[in-house]
Amino acid sequence: MLLRCLTLILVALALPAAVTAQDRTPSHCIALADATPGIAHVIPASLPDVAPETVHLHYIAHASFLIRSHGGLNMVTDYTGFTGTLPMIPDVVTMNHAHDSHWTPFPDPAIPHALPGWGAFGEGIDHELDLGEVLIRNVSTDIRSQFSEVEPEGNSIFVFEMAGLCIGHLGHLHHEPTEAQYAALGRIDVLMAPVDGGYTLPLPVMMQVIRRLKSSIVIPMHWFSGYALDAFLLGMSDEFQVVELESANLSVSIDRLPSRPTIMVLNPSYINVAR
């Protein structure tokens, strides 16, 4: 009997620990690795608390967004080194180098994870960063130089899987994704899409990409004028509902996704210390 009890105790000790509140709710993007226990983080008082199974988005500027999790993970897309006057060290930053307004050569060394969207010339880069409640991965895409030369796999589309959602950031996209790239992206629930109409993709091609991805929420970014934004909204209004918000913030959860594909227009705003 004693031997049997000891055996049961050893078996119990060998079992994985129970899941915690910081584990990632599985998304439906594509089949990827299981979640691992999350990490405790200090949450600056000026940043909002995020409800369970919810993602908080803040449109900072240009192509930079703060993506914030319930557990307090702060992730910034197309990071330039500046997010505002609020002191904040993001847990993760992603960058693209098509232009210097999408990256910084000197990310703060205190940032735990600085993810470039490019590798050695023409080789691309692969990221699959699992932080427990969030999985961050990328799909490499080509970019063109100012002289129309092509750098294969010189940028990335980044995908954030969290709270059961797939959140995609198209970065400085220069071509329609290939069939293999569409497949690698999988289902994208919330999509940040550049709609400048020329610096990235011509507007008709970008609209085609957005229609192909069929995201529930599309957030326009990288627009340099109201004219470019209005042209995009007009071109998509027959298929997408358009909601223009007065804020830079949006909270999203899988159970509150709109039943009709919706474009959510956010007003960019740096994250500043409250006055």
Side-chain angles (χ1 to χ4, degrees), residues 54-68:
T54 300
V55 178
H56 176 78
L57 304 172
H58 179 110
Y59 187 13
I60 299 171
H62 201 54
S64 291
F65 288 82
L66 170 67
I67 303 175
R68 183 167 165 79

Side-chain angles (χ1 to χ4, degrees), residues 187-203:
R187 164 70 181 178
I188 301 295
D189 298 297
V190 181
L191 180 71
M192 292 91 149
V195 298
D196 54 89
Y199 290 97
T200 55
L201 281 177
L203 206 50

Side-chain angles (χ1 to χ4, degrees), residues 66 74-76 79 83 88-93 108 110-113:
L66 170 67
N74 295 308
M75 297 151 283
V76 177
Y79 180 68
T83 59
M88 178 180 65
I89 301 296
D91 299 282
V92 181
V93 299
D108 191 321
I111 297 172
H113 305 283

Side-chain angles (χ1 to χ4, degrees), residues 25-28 53-54 163-166 189 252-258:
T25 300
S27 69
H28 51 199
E53 300 303 322
T54 300
L165 294 164
C166 296
D189 298 297
V252 184
S253 61
I254 195 168
D255 60 341
R256 290 186 293 158
L257 290 175

Side-chain angles (χ1 to χ4, degrees), residues 172-195:
H172 210 279
L173 187 63
H174 286 176
H175 62 87
E176 181 174 6
T178 65
E179 291 300 319
Q181 289 167 336
Y182 275 124
L185 287 172
R187 164 70 181 178
I188 301 295
D189 298 297
V190 181
L191 180 71
M192 292 91 149
V195 298

Side-chain angles (χ1 to χ4, degrees), residues 187-190 214-218 240 257-258 260-263:
R187 164 70 181 178
I188 301 295
D189 298 297
V190 181
K214 298 179 180 178
S215 301
S216 296
I217 295 175
V218 175
F240 283 71
L257 290 175
R260 178 185 175 189
T262 300
I263 296 170

